[in-house]
């Protein structure tokens, strides 16, 4: 984490200087610096939600201290489901979520706007002694997580990995215990890529088989995978790398096995259709270089805040996330938004009052 923080401080210092010296209106350029106008801001924001983007948000918040020493922002990583509930109950000023709002989430209609921030691969991380390279097709992946394939030397896994010696080790499946946008996107991917095989549906929670293990947040799943030889789980790229876990190359829509990388995520973003509310779906996108389990993440913000000062603070922070903050994204394993989508996100933010 030290190298990330050093990087963040250097990046923000440079961007702050650029912002202070600029004579242009930073609102007219999607990539313009937000740091120049933050130095005088005083106030506090509280947020909670998805663990998937937590590493990115924490680094952005840390870097914000250099640009705005009197502007305090806290983000509590509790999962998309819990974050949406806290937002709907008025306990936080904004929330992070990797999944869209459903009627059962406790968020009143008309009380939120989606602001996309970054995207990242969901890795299929594993712990298998003697196997440092692994390939999985979506059908095989669906069978593993549904527990119809239970050993690593099963014919389905062997067919995906010609020439690889696979042990007869039992497979241990790890998944999220909390309501999770990572779960929602992972299961949406399986439903799209293996529609004839995936039977568990999709959502922030699904009815996993009884002989699977559950961990809280992405970090909890990573701990379960790391603790057991033969384990497998779905984890965001940043937490998988922090855990030192290997991850599988996944067969994409074009038939290519692709490792989770920011380049693969960026390729997926390029082909994603953006809806009017700025939600978008890069899962199972076409393209030879595309990593197929690429997930978006959003901030939920209010169209109108009771306190105009709170609206000002939210707009300042989210603009910082979308502009100066993106200099940090690649360093902590997140892909930035395409320029056109970034511009739409900033325009969406302008609706907040």
């Amino acid at each position: 984490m030290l190298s990330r923080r050093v990087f963040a401080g250097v990046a923000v210092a440079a961007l702050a200087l650029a912002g202070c010296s600029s004579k242009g209106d930073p609102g007219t350029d999607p990539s313009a610096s937000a740091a120049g106008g933050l130095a005088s801001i005083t106030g506090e924001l509280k947020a909670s939600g998805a663990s998937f983007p937590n590493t990115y948000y924490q680094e952005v918040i840390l870097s914000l201290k250099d640009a705005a020493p009197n502007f305090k922002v806290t983000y509590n990583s509790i999962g998309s489901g819990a974050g949406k509930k806290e937002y709907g109950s008025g306990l936080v000023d904004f929330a992070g979520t990797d999944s869209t709002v459903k009627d059962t989430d406790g968020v009143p209609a008309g009380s939120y706007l989606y602001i996309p921030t970054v995207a990242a691969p969901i890795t299929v991380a594993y712990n298998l002694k003697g196997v440092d390279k692994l390939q999985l097709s979506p059908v095989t992946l669906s069978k593993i997580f549904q527990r119809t394939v239970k050993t690593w030397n099963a014919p389905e896994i062997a067919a995906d990995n010609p020439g690889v010696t696979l042990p007869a080790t039992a497979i241990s499946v790890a998944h999220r215990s909390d309501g999770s946008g990572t779960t929602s996107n992972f299961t949406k991917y399986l439903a799209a890529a293996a529609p004839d095989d995936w039977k568990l549906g999709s959502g922030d929670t699904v009815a996993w088989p009884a002989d699977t293990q559950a961990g809280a947040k992405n970090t909890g799943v990573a701990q379960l995978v790391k603790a057991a030889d033969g384990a497998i789980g779905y984890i965001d790229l940043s937490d998988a790398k922090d855990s030192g876990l290997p991850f599988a190359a996944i067969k994409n829509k074009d038939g290519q096995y692709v490792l989770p990388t920011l380049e693969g995520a960026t390729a997926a973003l390029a082909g994603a259709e953006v809806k009017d509310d700025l939600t978008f779906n890069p899962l199972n996108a076409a393209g030879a270089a595309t990593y197929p389990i690429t997930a978006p993440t959003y901030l939920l913000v209010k169209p109108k805040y009771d306190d105009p000062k709170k609206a000002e603070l939210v707009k300042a922070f989210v603009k910082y996330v979308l502009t100066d903050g993106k200099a940090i994204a690649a360093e902590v394993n997140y892909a930035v938004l395409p320029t056109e989508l970034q511009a739409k996100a900033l325009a969406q933010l302008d609706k907040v009052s």
Side-chain angles (χ1 to χ4, degrees), residues 47-64 73-77 94-98 115-119 296-300 317-318 320-322 325 328-329 332 334:
S48 65
S51 66
F52 180 78
N54 181 57
T55 299
Y56 176 60
Y57 292 156
Q58 296 302 340
E59 292 300 320
V60 171
I61 289 167
L62 183 66
S63 74
L64 183 65
V73 182
T74 56
Y75 180 83
N76 186 14
S77 171
F94 63 92
T97 181
D98 314 318
I115 307 289
T117 54
V118 288
T297 195
Y298 311 94
L299 293 177
L300 299 179
F317 175 71
V318 179
Y320 185 77
V321 170
L322 291 168
I328 302 167
V332 289
Y334 294 87

Side-chain angles (χ1 to χ4, degrees), residues 1-11 58-59 62-63 66 328 331-332:
M1 289 296 287
L2 182 60
S3 64
R4 292 176 183 171
R5 292 175 180 179
V6 169
F7 175 89
V10 171
Q58 296 302 340
E59 292 300 320
L62 183 66
S63 74
D66 294 324
I328 302 167
E331 177 71 8
V332 289

Side-chain angles (χ1 to χ4, degrees), residues 230-257:
I232 189 170
Y234 54 92
I235 308 164
D236 70 278
L237 180 61
S238 185
D239 283 315
K241 282 191 170 183
D242 281 352
S243 299
L245 290 165
F247 26 77
I250 305 300
K251 191 175 185 179
N252 67 18
K253 202 169 188 177
D254 284 31
Q256 302 298 311
Y257 287 98

Side-chain angles (χ1 to χ4, degrees), residues 25 34 60 96 121 134 195 205 267 311:
D25 177 5
V60 171
L134 184 69
T205 59

